[in-house]
């Protein structure tokens, strides 16, 4: 079983807490011991936004701001690598080929951002497609995909299940609304649709939820099920 896990910066490092990073690393290591081939993509979170806002006030352009954000994601990736054992590639992968080579030789690969204009949401979806992963998991601060931003709308309803095309339809208007918050961005949703990637969006603040979702498909978030596929993949049926 080959899995890509996207860990939001607001999940892994909303502040510098070594115990939180260790908790996520412990889950990744347990999955690896169970034979799961793993790639992890780490976001920038609030720290990245702080740096970006400061740089914007100093007159940096949008590409420079993106580059700063990428640098922060790679620092967060180094934090996760530091907490992982000997199974991890000690280098932060800077592109999909590096990450894919690590995963195929049996190492855990960790990466952050790749290029300006592309979020780590999209990086995770592209990596999952590149390595032909069985499953893509987004560990976010929201428990799934909602029809509105649950942080501002108490009536927001969570989708238990969506097709990939429905995910694009749900995310597209959120991406156009200023200040709106979507669990994954529109480019990531389109990559998931293109690749037919089985995807789970869940609340990853407790890393144990990631483990249950990967190993048994148990979670309270949202399943993104490609058209024409069974509800329960064979790798869950065997556990």
């Amino acid at each position: 079983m080959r899995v890509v896990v996207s860990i939001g910066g607001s999940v892994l490092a909303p502040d510098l807490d070594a115990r939180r990073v260790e908790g996520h690393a412990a889950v990744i290591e347990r999955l690896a011991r169970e034979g799961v081939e793993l790639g992890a993509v780490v976001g920038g979170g609030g720290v990245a936004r702080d740096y970006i806002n400061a740089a914007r006030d100093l007159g940096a352009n949008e590409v420079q701001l993106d580059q700063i954000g990428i640098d922060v994601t790679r620092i967060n990736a180094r934090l996760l690598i530091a907490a992982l054992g000997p199974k991890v590639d000690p280098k932060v992968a800077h592109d999909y080929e590096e990450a894919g080579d690590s995963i195929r030789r049996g190492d855990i690969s960790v990466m952050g951002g790749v290029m300006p204009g592309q979020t780590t949401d999209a990086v995770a979806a592209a990596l999952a497609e590149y390595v032909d992963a069985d499953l893509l998991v987004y560990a976010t601060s929201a428990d799934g995909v909602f029809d509105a931003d649950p942080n501002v709308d108490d009536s927001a309803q969570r989708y238990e299940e969506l097709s990939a095309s429905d995910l694009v339809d749900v995310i597209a208007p959120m991406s156009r609304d200023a200040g709106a918050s979507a669990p994954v961005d529109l480019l990531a949703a389109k990559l998931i649709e293109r690749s037919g990637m089985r995807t789970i969006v869940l609340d990853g603040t407790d890393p144990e939820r990631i483990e249950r979702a990967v190993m048994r498909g148990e979670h309270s978030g949202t399943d993104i099920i490609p058209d024409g596929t069974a509800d329960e993949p064979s790798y869950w049926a065997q556990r």
Side-chain angles (χ1 to χ4, degrees):
M1 184 181 183
R2 183 172 291 169
V3 178
V4 171
V5 179
S6 173
I7 307 175
S10 60
V11 171
L12 183 72
D15 49 43
L16 288 178
D17 182 347
R19 302 290 82 77
R20 182 183 294 107
V21 178
E22 284 182 339
H24 283 84
V27 162
I28 290 171
E29 288 179 326
R30 287 201 297 272
L31 291 173
R33 286 196 296 271
E34 289 290 332
V36 178
E37 298 177 351
L38 280 160
V41 179
V42 181
V47 174
R49 285 189 290 273
D50 289 344
Y51 273 96
I52 287 168
N53 289 337
R56 182 176 284 116
D57 290 342
L58 293 170
N61 63 43
E62 291 303 312
V63 173
Q64 290 172 318
L65 297 179
D66 282 350
Q67 289 171 327
I68 288 170
I70 290 169
D71 287 342
V72 176
T73 66
R74 290 176 176 174
I75 290 171
N76 285 343
R78 288 192 181 279
L79 273 179
L80 184 59
I81 287 171
L84 289 165
K87 286 285 290 180
V88 70
D89 186 333
K91 304 182 302 298
V92 176
H94 285 194
D95 59 44
Y96 304 113
E97 187 173 9
E98 286 182 17
D101 287 347
S102 294
I103 293 168
R104 292 185 184 102
R105 68 171 176 259
D107 290 338
I108 301 165
S109 181
V110 184
M111 63 190 305
V114 171
M115 61 183 294
Q118 189 180 58
T119 68
T120 51
D121 289 349
V123 170
L127 176 61
E129 183 175 19
Y130 181 76
V131 300
D132 194 24
D134 298 294
L135 181 67
L136 170 61
V137 177
Y138 284 99
T140 74
S141 56
D143 198 16
V145 181
F146 290 74
D147 59 3
D149 185 350
N151 294 316
V152 297
D153 187 348
D154 291 337
S155 66
Q157 297 293 309
R158 178 179 56 84
Y159 296 99
E160 291 187 5
E161 185 179 299
L162 287 168
S163 70
S165 57
D166 286 340
L167 176 67
V168 172
D169 292 342
V170 169
I171 296 299
M174 294 184 187
S175 68
R176 291 193 293 266
D177 294 341
S181 175
V184 298
D185 71 12
L186 184 57
L187 177 56
K190 289 183 174 180
L191 288 171
I192 291 167
E193 181 183 33
R194 180 182 74 178
S195 64
M197 180 63 57
R198 180 70 183 242
T199 304
I200 296 171
V201 181
L202 52 74
D203 181 349
T205 53
D206 178 355
E208 304 290 333
R209 296 175 185 143
I210 300 171
E211 183 175 12
R212 291 193 293 270
V214 170
M215 297 306 297
R216 298 186 296 278
E218 297 174 0
H219 62 89
S220 57
T222 302
D223 274 313
I224 314 301
I225 301 176
D227 293 335
T229 61
D231 286 351
E232 291 297 331
S234 60
Y235 46 79
W236 288 333
Q238 294 168 2
R239 298 184 186 279

